[in-house]
Amino acid sequence: MPCRALLLFVVMLLSATARAELAETDWLQLLPASDRQALENMPEISHDTAEGEGVFSNKGGLKQQDKDLPAVMYSSKTVAAMNGRTIRIGGYPVPLESNAKGASTLFFLVPYPGACIHVPPPPPNQLILVRYPKGITLEDIYAPIWVSGALKVEAVSNDLADAAYALDASAVRLVEESDL
């Protein structure tokens, strides 16, 4: 009987471990200390633009257009210690590619909703290119998601954005009310 109880305990422990997720990585952990300090001390940014008035265009996408912004808003500086680390980070998807079933397999992850139309967009060291061959169906890009996988310091540039990190996702899921 004691062996049976021990076996049951081990099975329950393994089951609980399989469901456990990584601790959340905060977006600020992707910023070098100098960038974090510069962002904290940055003056207020004006939103007196067409986008601020509710008129949006996708011209430029996530790339910075306003050359008068502080240098930290263009920063691609990374945290070397994050390279190769397996993380779980929450954010919002900006879809780039889908599979034949319409599931997103390649997308940028951004720290706040509407970054593709927000002025200014996040700096490159606050953008992550996510590769997820399995794909996730994204019915609402304003719904937050969790992304888990191996983070890489990797410069990525396309017509939409410049990113300083990439992540090969092992899991992607919607944030659920129980996560909050």
Side-chain angles (χ1 to χ4, degrees):
M1 197 68 161
C3 288
R4 185 175 219 180
L6 180 61
L7 180 61
L8 181 59
F9 174 75
V10 170
V11 168
M12 287 174 41
L13 184 62
L14 289 174
S15 177
T17 303
R19 286 192 308 260
E21 292 186 286
L22 296 165
E24 178 181 356
T25 297
D26 188 288
W27 283 91
L28 295 177
Q29 291 175 262
L30 303 180
L31 294 174
S34 60
D35 280 8
R36 186 182 307 192
Q37 185 175 17
L39 283 174
E40 289 171 357
N41 297 322
M42 194 167 72
E44 186 71 27
I45 294 176
S46 171
H47 294 280
D48 295 334
T49 63
E51 286 87 353
E53 300 288 321
V55 178
F56 301 106
S57 90
N58 63 359
K59 182 182 175 193
L62 292 166
K63 290 195 176 193
Q64 296 288 0
Q65 301 296 311
D66 185 350
K67 299 301 179 197
D68 295 328
L69 291 172
V72 70
M73 293 304 296
Y74 305 96
S75 180
S76 294
K77 296 177 187 173
T78 58
V79 177
M82 296 300 291
N83 193 41
R85 186 177 290 178
T86 300
I87 67 167
R88 179 176 70 106
I89 191 165
Y92 297 85
V94 178
L96 297 172
E97 293 180 11
S98 305
N99 62 20
K101 295 179 183 177
S104 291
T105 57
L106 186 71
F107 55 91
F108 283 112
L109 189 69
V110 296
Y112 51 83
C116 56
I117 55 176
H118 189 276
V119 176
N125 59 11
Q126 291 288 279
L127 289 168
I128 302 172
L129 178 71
V130 177
R131 299 178 187 104
Y132 188 51
K134 181 178 176 182
I136 182 173
T137 301
L138 299 171
E139 295 178 15
D140 180 3
I141 62 169
Y142 293 99
I145 60 175
W146 287 116
V147 177
S148 300
L151 184 70
K152 298 176 185 172
V153 171
E154 179 181 327
V156 176
S157 185
N158 65 22
D159 291 341
L160 183 63
D162 295 323
Y165 293 98
L167 189 144
D168 294 323
S170 57
V172 178
R173 70 172 179 84
L174 290 173
V175 171
E176 299 170 359
E177 194 169 317
S178 61
D179 295 327
L180 307 175

